[in-house]
Amino acid sequence: MGTIILLNRWNFLPDMAITENKFLIDFGKRLQKLRIAKKLSTREFAYKADISHSSVGRLEAGETNPTLTTLVKLADALEIDMKALTGY
């Protein structure tokens, strides 16, 4: 069994979850940079992507894992391809 790391007093995550968490945080930072480069507020971006304003905030904070449908909406709203959005 992998090492358990205390993230806060409520959540314990194994090593594999740490990798996923880092990916989500890195993705959120990338998404925010791309949005800012397009000079879009979070509300404007949410409207263009047809997602909620709070979803944009959670994605940029690395708090939620986007579905494939959401990734497509984000890429379309930013007028970029999936590789530019995800880095993969």
Side-chain angles (χ1 to χ4, degrees):
M1 184 169 175
T3 304
I4 302 295
I5 298 173
L6 178 62
L7 292 180
N8 62 41
R9 66 180 187 216
W10 298 282
N11 294 322
F12 291 90
L13 296 174
D15 292 340
M16 192 166 123
I18 300 300
T19 303
E20 179 181 351
N21 191 40
K22 182 178 176 353
F23 170 78
L24 292 177
I25 290 168
D26 290 347
F27 174 76
K29 289 177 184 176
R30 176 189 284 283
L31 181 63
Q32 186 176 47
K33 283 182 183 180
L34 291 166
R35 175 184 58 77
I36 290 169
K38 294 285 185 172
K39 297 181 176 28
L40 294 170
S41 71
T42 54
R43 289 196 185 278
E44 292 167 329
F45 182 46
Y47 179 79
K48 282 187 75 168
D50 192 30
I51 63 174
S52 70
H53 173 255
S54 60
S55 291
V56 172
R58 287 192 306 273
L59 287 164
E60 290 185 355
E63 296 173 355
T64 188
N65 198 347
T67 64
L68 181 57
T69 302
T70 300
L71 289 172
V72 170
K73 288 179 175 186
L74 297 172
D76 286 348
L78 293 168
E79 300 173 347
I80 58 175
D81 62 24
M82 196 67 73
K83 184 173 182 174
L85 177 63
T86 63
Y88 293 97

